[in-house]
Amino acid sequence: MATMKVNQISRDDLDWQIQYNTDRCTFCGKCVAACPFRAIEAGVEKRRKVISDHFTPEPKVQFKTVPVIKQCVGEYNFCRGCGICERVCPNEAIKPVRNEDSRFGVKYRATLADPYKRGGRANLATEKRTLDKIKVGRISQMTDPSLDASRHTFDMLAPFGRILPADEMPFDVVDGKLVMNSATPKVNWIYPIIVGDMSIGALSWRMWEAMAIAVAYLNEQVGLPVRMCSGEGGVPVRLLKSRYLKYVILQIASGHFGWNRIINAMPHMQELPGGILIKIGQGAKPGDGGLLQAKKVASHISEIRGVPKADLLSPPNHQGLYSIEESVQKMFLSLNSAFKFQVPVAIKVAASATSVSVYNNLLRDPYNIVGGFFVDGLAGGTGAANEISLDHTGHPIVSKLRDCYNAAVHQGKQGQIPLWAAGGLGANWNLAADAFKMMALGANGVFTGKLMLQIAGCVGNDHGKCNACNTGLCPVGICTQNPTLVKRLDIDKTAEQIVNYFIATDNELKKMLAPIGNSSLPVGRSDCLISVDRAVADRLNIQYSC
């Protein structure tokens, strides 16, 4: 009797199993060629068949060798459920099917003695999102009529930069004239939705270029002052020296990747960047640094970041910054002075129980130079992280945003350091509704990243499908540096779809503002919200309705 290899990974351990119909397959090979994970391969099977070729039953045994598509089973070459094979098959002969009895998580860790890493977002969200339990319940009707969303003029701008209260504005009255006696902090007024920080290492150059083209078009042709954040790792020198830099918010993270090139390019900049964002943490893996695995460090990434082809791990914090006061003095002052105080500087943190403490201290900043507070919730996405961080660490964004806003109100300083929030926004495919609710709870604006990838054609989801952003084998060319896979992404079509989505979102956001009678963004207008969940209503201090 053969020994059973029960300790090895088998097909029934995998998260996804390939369902294959031999009768429909013409063996064209498209599925095998298209699968970037090498999860399927061409093979042959010897089959036994009993037939009768006589007018009276005379059974004969016939053996036949037939070509088939086989599923590969292993720690590295396994199906991620992306469905690319199903898309390219002309005969509907193959598709991935979710295995409800999967044991891959334990098998992977037990075989490789290594934490399981992946991209995407947390896969454990089984309950309805908090934002979906909130509705706009206050509608202006007779006493204060609703606005006409199609004809009314709306002020759709949000601040990026420190806002001084009236009594701190540096104005004097001299001979009956208003005179400014010192400079005010730099403030850029931009669209309230920012394309979130995703690096040119995490994304393919085609995806990054498509987003840059879309943002430039939105600014120069559509009239929407949308900004995009560079993410950690620097940007190409040609962008630093171009006039389009004004639409980009440059990020500096704990790894400082790419910042030597930015510094060297400063004397040659035609335009100042749209802002600087200091990343302390992100929602998908709070308390952890960035991660770009070696398989995605292509030659142009090595050049931009100034590093060899190796796993690039950022420290969990900025070295030498161990208090809020140090951060303000060293980071904010140095970066402000580097750009002659003409570029607003903001900070990004992961939502946690400590977020309010950080925000409270920043509000008391005596230098008046902290230009924004970006808070990222646990439902945010990432290009690579340990799965245990993705699924088991972090704080939901809605309640933490509300806590930060209420803390500012308590000090009488709401709006002085703009609040920007993110973390799974647009996961219901309607970014306008999510953005409106977040602003009504206190955000000046929102930022979103994963949604841009889904607009471009990402085939992953939050239920364990694909999530292979970390492998460098993205099947649709979005999160990969593989030249063959990158070509699958159409730059122009992707840019066009991002532009179209922003135009639709802008119209939908106005459709949300008009019924409550607001001509401007509804920052802090929690009175217009209701919740169908009493716990949510009590926690956020909004009206409960049933």
Side-chain angles (χ1 to χ4, degrees), residues 224-240:
L224 296 183
V226 177
R227 299 293 183 266
M228 66 176 285
C229 186
S230 68
E232 179 179 17
V235 298
V237 172
R238 64 189 178 103
L239 175 58
L240 292 171

Side-chain angles (χ1 to χ4, degrees), residues 129 131-132 424-428 430-439:
R129 299 186 318 153
L131 284 172
D132 295 330
L425 304 187
N428 62 351
N430 196 324
L431 181 59
D434 287 353
F436 179 93
K437 295 171 187 177
M438 294 292 280
M439 285 186 275

Side-chain angles (χ1 to χ4, degrees), residues 485-501:
L485 297 175
V486 167
K487 290 180 181 178
R488 296 182 180 182
L489 187 73
D490 187 323
I491 296 178
D492 295 332
K493 188 65 177 178
T494 299
E496 178 186 352
Q497 290 176 334
I498 293 173
V499 167
N500 289 344
Y501 191 90

Side-chain angles (χ1 to χ4, degrees), residues 10 60 65-66 89 111 119 134 158 170 189 194 199 209 213 251 274 362 367 427 429 439 474 477 528 540:
S10 62
K60 297 180 179 179
T65 302
V66 297
C89 179
T111 302
I134 300 173
W189 291 89
I194 291 175
S199 74
E209 187 165 317
I213 291 171
Q251 183 180 94
L362 294 178
Y367 305 100
W429 316 121
M439 285 186 275
C474 173
C528 71
L540 302 178

Side-chain angles (χ1 to χ4, degrees), residues 92-382:
E92 299 181 357
I94 190 170
K95 66 178 181 180
V97 177
R98 191 185 300 274
N99 177 20
E100 299 296 337
D101 297 319
S102 165
R103 294 173 294 275
F104 183 74
V106 66
K107 289 287 188 179
Y108 181 94
R109 293 170 174 88
T111 302
L112 298 180
D114 188 48
Y116 184 50
K117 302 175 183 68
R118 62 174 179 81
R121 287 197 286 241
N123 292 159
L124 299 182
T126 56
E127 298 182 1
K128 193 175 183 181
R129 299 186 318 153
T130 300
L131 284 172
D132 295 330
K133 299 175 182 178
I134 300 173
K135 307 295 180 184
V136 180
R138 184 194 183 282
I139 306 299
S140 300
Q141 296 182 83
M142 296 297 291
T143 55
D144 47 344
S146 300
L147 304 176
D148 189 330
S150 301
R151 297 175 178 85
H152 192 81
T153 299
F154 293 86
D155 178 6
M156 304 287 283
L157 297 178
F160 190 104
R162 183 64 179 256
I163 305 294
L164 291 182
D167 60 346
E168 294 183 22
M169 294 293 286
F171 291 114
D172 288 328
V173 177
V174 180
D175 297 330
K177 295 182 179 180
L178 201 61
V179 178
M180 179 181 289
N181 53 38
S182 65
T184 58
K186 178 65 176 179
V187 180
N188 289 336
W189 291 89
I190 62 178
Y191 197 70
I193 300 174
I194 291 175
V195 177
D197 37 322
M198 296 177 287
S199 74
I200 200 172
L203 304 182
S204 69
W205 68 266
R206 278 183 178 243
M207 181 64 209
W208 213 85
E209 187 165 317
M211 293 195 305
I213 291 171
V215 167
Y217 188 90
L218 285 166
N219 278 271
E220 302 195 357
Q221 299 297 322
V222 182
L224 296 183
V226 177
R227 299 293 183 266
M228 66 176 285
C229 186
S230 68
E232 179 179 17
V235 298
V237 172
R238 64 189 178 103
L239 175 58
L240 292 171
K241 296 180 179 180
S242 79
R243 66 183 183 87
Y244 301 106
L245 181 62
K246 58 188 174 184
Y247 306 136
V248 179
I249 298 170
L250 298 176
Q251 183 180 94
I252 178 171
S254 56
H256 294 75
F257 294 122
W259 267 81
N260 57 332
R261 298 169 67 85
I262 293 175
I263 293 169
N264 292 333
M266 287 176 69
H268 310 287
M269 289 181 178
Q270 297 183 47
E271 297 280 352
L272 292 172
I276 303 295
L277 184 62
I278 304 169
K279 190 194 86 168
I280 302 297
Q282 66 183 95
K285 44 185 175 181
D288 202 358
L291 171 62
L292 185 67
Q293 295 182 284
K295 59 194 75 175
K296 294 180 73 170
V297 184
S299 57
H300 64 284
I301 304 301
S302 293
E303 184 179 352
I304 290 174
R305 298 197 176 197
V307 293
K309 186 176 179 64
D311 285 350
L312 303 180
L313 291 87
S314 302
N317 54 26
H318 286 263
Q319 302 303 297
L321 300 182
Y322 299 107
S323 74
I324 299 168
E325 291 74 17
E326 281 186 316
S327 298
V328 170
Q329 290 177 353
K330 294 181 180 178
M331 297 292 286
F332 287 92
L333 281 176
S334 61
L335 286 168
N336 271 278
S337 60
F339 289 98
K340 299 180 180 179
F341 293 85
Q342 294 301 304
V343 177
V345 180
I347 185 173
K348 177 186 175 184
V349 302
S352 77
T354 62
S355 301
V356 178
S357 300
V358 177
Y359 190 51
N360 270 327
N361 278 273
L362 294 178
L363 284 168
R364 292 190 285 270
D365 162 33
Y367 305 100
N368 289 329
I369 58 172
V370 181
F373 191 64
F374 285 58
V375 191
D376 193 15
L378 60 77
T382 185

